[in-house]
Amino acid sequence: MELDQNPETIPPARLLIGPPHGPPSVAKTIFWNDREFRAGWRLLIYFLFVFLIVLVETALVKALHLPQISVAGVTATSIIVQDGISLIAVIVAAGIMAMLEDRPLGGYGLPSESAFGGRFWQGIVWGIGMITAMILLIRAFGGYSFGELALRGTALWGYAVLWGAAFLLVGLFEEFSFRGYSQFTLTTGLGFWPAATILSAAFGALHLGNRGEDRIGALSVFVIGMFFCLTLWRTGNLWFAVGLHAAFDWGETYLYSVPDSGLVAPGHLLNSSFHGPTWLTGGSVGPEGSAIAFLVVGLAAVLFVIVYPAK
């Protein structure tokens, strides 16, 4: 592993959360390790900061009457608002923790010097490639039809850009939430892959809250989450995963116009349709609920390990 900041080789924290001086005690053992607050306590403090920041942001969104995701469905603008404020919350909370822990914010997975650089665009290519492979394989077995264009003219390009912005925020928010500060911190307590497994399981479980999602779809999200962790392990930061995540969701929702984790949104390119058994198409879940998804992600993981060898 060659992470931009390896949690296992960092020096002890020097500010506020370092262990107190004095002889060992029960409280000291419960709250501190030999360098700082234990990982679980730091994660709890981080989540508290996120919660408080989101409370303030939500009040502002309601006061300003900005678009919000509701039971009626999702739109690109509502995703931009929701994931935009959520991204601000997790970044600001991580910034506070970075000061408390005396660590650079970029060490939690999104170093500014790598922002939207080569790894990000490589992830974009992989994301489009993976969703395209899924759709074409489902089509090869008779489960997908492209249909006709649903958009034309300025609406076509306008929605392409709008959904691009929306899913960029989704990629940044979800990757940093599950594989940024949380992954870094749990790694210091449990090790990289146990932390990755726990957080990817949470990533999949939370998707069960989407209308149209099911257990197979959530399991697929878990597997995809573990693949994202592999890209973090091999590339050293989250920029590849952000690009892949954003491009995959954009291709799913806009380009191929199919359900994304059970969600169907307006402003998609095609009047496409699924037909055939659920194991093939994913049904209401979309391609992520298809057996094809597990095949494509598995093959992508093998290819990724070959293209990005361990250092």
Side-chain angles (χ1 to χ4, degrees):
M1 176 176 66
E2 189 177 341
L3 297 179
D4 287 348
Q5 186 181 358
N6 186 343
E8 297 174 358
T9 61
I10 50 180
R14 298 191 298 272
L15 297 176
L16 298 179
I17 62 171
H21 297 293
S25 65
V26 174
K28 191 173 180 179
T29 301
I30 292 173
F31 289 101
W32 285 274
N33 54 32
D34 60 352
R35 63 170 79 208
E36 60 193 340
F37 269 142
R38 293 188 181 278
W41 296 114
R42 283 182 283 133
L43 202 56
L44 185 62
I45 294 169
Y46 169 71
F47 287 147
L48 178 60
F49 281 133
V50 171
F51 175 74
L52 294 174
I53 295 167
V54 168
L55 275 183
V56 174
E57 291 178 323
T58 302
L60 287 173
V61 166
K62 290 181 178 179
L64 296 172
H65 303 289
L66 297 177
Q68 298 181 66
I69 293 176
S70 66
V71 293
V74 299
T75 63
T77 52
S78 65
I79 289 177
I80 287 172
V81 171
Q82 175 171 297
D83 284 66
I85 65 172
S86 299
L87 176 62
I88 291 171
V90 296
I91 293 294
V92 170
I96 296 171
M97 296 306 297
M99 290 188 290
L100 294 176
E101 297 173 7
D102 192 30
R103 293 176 175 131
L105 177 59
Y108 300 133
L110 291 176
S112 58
E113 62 271 18
S114 301
F116 306 108
R119 293 295 194 212
F120 172 79
W121 294 105
Q122 291 165 21
I124 291 285
V125 173
W126 277 69
I128 291 295
M130 287 175 65
I131 185 59
T132 297
M134 289 182 194
I135 292 296
L136 292 182
L137 282 171
I138 293 172
R139 178 175 171 78
F141 286 97
Y144 175 82
S145 296
F146 288 100
E148 299 179 350
L149 285 175
L151 299 173
R152 298 182 185 276
T154 57
L156 186 153
W157 299 109
Y159 272 110
V161 172
L162 192 62
W163 280 116
F167 286 122
L168 176 59
L169 290 173
V170 170
L172 284 165
F173 166 61
E174 293 191 355
E175 290 309 308
F176 192 80
S177 294
F178 291 95
R179 285 163 283 277
Y181 181 84
S182 300
Q183 175 69 42
F184 178 97
T185 301
L186 276 187
T187 294
T188 65
L190 302 175
F192 184 88
W193 287 110
T197 303
I198 292 171
L199 291 169
S200 295
F203 185 51
L206 285 176
H207 278 71
L208 286 171
N210 294 344
R211 290 192 304 167
E213 185 66 274
D214 63 17
R215 293 180 181 179
I216 299 300
L219 178 61
S220 175
V221 172
F222 165 75
V223 172
I224 293 171
M226 292 298 288
F227 177 60
F228 287 143
C229 290
L230 174 63
T231 70
L232 169 61
W233 178 266
R234 285 294 174 92
T235 66
N237 61 56
L238 290 170
W239 285 110
F240 184 99
V242 168
L244 192 159
H245 195 148
F248 185 96
D249 283 358
W250 183 86
E252 201 170 23
T253 296
Y254 176 76
L255 182 61
Y256 296 113
S257 310
V258 295
D260 178 356
S261 293
L263 298 176
V264 179
H268 44 76
L269 179 64
L270 303 172
N271 288 315
S272 61
S273 61
F274 278 139
H275 28 82
T278 300
W279 70 263
L280 174 63
T281 66
S284 64
V285 177
E288 293 173 28
S290 166
I292 300 296
F294 293 92
L295 173 64
V296 170
V297 174
L299 292 175
V302 172
L303 181 60
F304 185 85
V305 168
I306 295 171
V307 175
Y308 296 88
K311 298 180 180 180

